Amino acid sequence: MQIDDVVHYVPIVGSSLSTDGRFVVVATPVYSEDQPLRPVLSRVMDLEQEKPGWVFLNPGTGVESLYNPAIAPDSRRFAAFRYSNALLDMAIGRLDTPEDSPLPLEGIPVDPSAIKWRGLPGEVCCLGTDAEGTRRIWVWEDSQTVSIPLTPEGRGVFDYSFSCTHGTLAWIEQKRQDTHSAFLHVSDDQGESGFSLALEGTPVGFLAWSSDGDKLAYMGRPEGNRLSRSEVWVVSGL
């Protein structure tokens, strides 16, 4: 990659790299005199091209922003949030045809966040709030149907991570008033056959599996030190 290929003078507010290393996607604000709100759009680079360059992903007709991109384990599809004055949804597109309009998903939960993918070749998931106000993981088992909750009722999810190659799911439960620590729940990627353990410190996010599926890392602070800097905590032997 040459210096001219770098996205210049704009903050990168989201990014994703494909598993096979071919595609990289970044989300950046777009600065324009006729767009004072600075919408965020995503662009892709195909690193296998003879002369790689950035190409904007088509957000769809009438869509202002396409942001928080996440590339699927198959390294060909992406999912992202879309925003306009009359719309907040999620859509799936293809990286090898960035000019095509993405496919919107049905049944978006309330207050969606944290797009991730489950399994191979990949099913889209996100966090969202159910009718009782609980943050849960939601999954689209088919892109043509609505999302369904994956985690139990009444158990709020703070952060989550899939190991697509090992078929496992880990999620951190939001700390409740009747508990002294946050809990990590580990199961298969269907949310079954799992176990739980108490976590040290106060998690702040960025839960991630190791490539061998044996460890989990997360950012956290020492218990009772809300103003201290975050550190990396590792849970091994999973």
Side-chain angles (χ1 to χ4, degrees), residues 2-4 16 23 35 54 56 76 94 103 110 114 122 134 147 151 155 166 170 174-177 189 194 209 215 232:
Q2 304 298 315
I3 192 169
D4 291 342
S16 186
F23 294 102
Q35 294 177 314
W54 293 106
F56 279 103
R76 292 297 176 268
R94 290 192 60 87
L103 173 68
V110 177
T134 302
S147 63
T151 44
R155 309 288 290 273
H166 294 84
Q174 292 174 333
K175 187 183 294 186
R176 304 192 305 267
Q177 292 182 350
D189 62 9
W209 283 97
K215 305 179 187 67
V232 177

Side-chain angles (χ1 to χ4, degrees), residues 185-219:
H185 303 279
V186 180
S187 67
D188 61 27
D189 62 9
Q190 303 299 314
E192 302 173 351
S193 305
F195 62 90
S196 304
L197 54 90
L199 291 177
E200 296 184 41
T202 301
V204 297
F206 302 100
L207 184 66
W209 283 97
S210 62
S211 58
D212 61 6
D214 184 64
K215 305 179 187 67
L216 279 164
Y218 62 94
M219 298 294 291

Side-chain angles (χ1 to χ4, degrees), residues 41-210:
L41 291 176
S42 296
R43 62 189 89 187
V44 61
M45 180 183 289
D46 184 347
L47 299 176
E48 292 187 356
Q49 289 185 349
E50 183 176 352
K51 294 183 178 181
W54 293 106
V55 178
F56 279 103
L57 295 169
N58 182 2
T61 304
V63 176
E64 295 179 9
S65 293
L66 182 73
Y67 60 99
N68 283 11
I71 298 178
D74 62 14
S75 297
R76 292 297 176 268
R77 296 172 297 154
F78 73 91
F81 291 117
R82 303 193 304 171
Y83 171 80
S84 66
N85 288 333
L87 174 75
L88 173 59
D89 73 353
M90 294 168 56
I92 299 176
R94 290 192 60 87
L95 297 169
D96 51 1
T97 54
E99 70 280 358
D100 291 348
S101 183
L103 173 68
L105 294 171
E106 301 293 333
I108 309 295
V110 177
D111 296 328
S113 66
I115 298 175
K116 300 184 183 183
W117 293 81
R118 178 179 76 171
L120 297 169
E123 298 170 339
V124 186
C125 300
C126 76
L127 288 182
T129 304
D130 67 13
E132 303 302 321
T134 302
R135 298 289 286 172
R136 302 169 71 182
I137 301 172
W138 300 75
V139 58
W140 282 263
E141 296 182 337
D142 187 320
S143 59
Q144 305 293 329
T145 60
V146 299
S147 63
I148 58 173
L150 182 61
T151 44
E153 295 180 5
R155 309 288 290 273
V157 179
F158 176 70
D159 194 12
Y160 71 110
S161 179
F162 288 100
S163 176
C164 294
T165 54
H166 294 84
T168 48
L169 163 67
W171 56 281
I172 297 175
E173 183 176 357
Q174 292 174 333
K175 187 183 294 186
R176 304 192 305 267
Q177 292 182 350
D178 60 344
T179 61
H180 297 288
S181 62
F183 278 85
L184 174 70
H185 303 279
V186 180
S187 67
D188 61 27
D189 62 9
Q190 303 299 314
E192 302 173 351
S193 305
F195 62 90
S196 304
L197 54 90
L199 291 177
E200 296 184 41
T202 301
V204 297
F206 302 100
L207 184 66
W209 283 97
S210 62

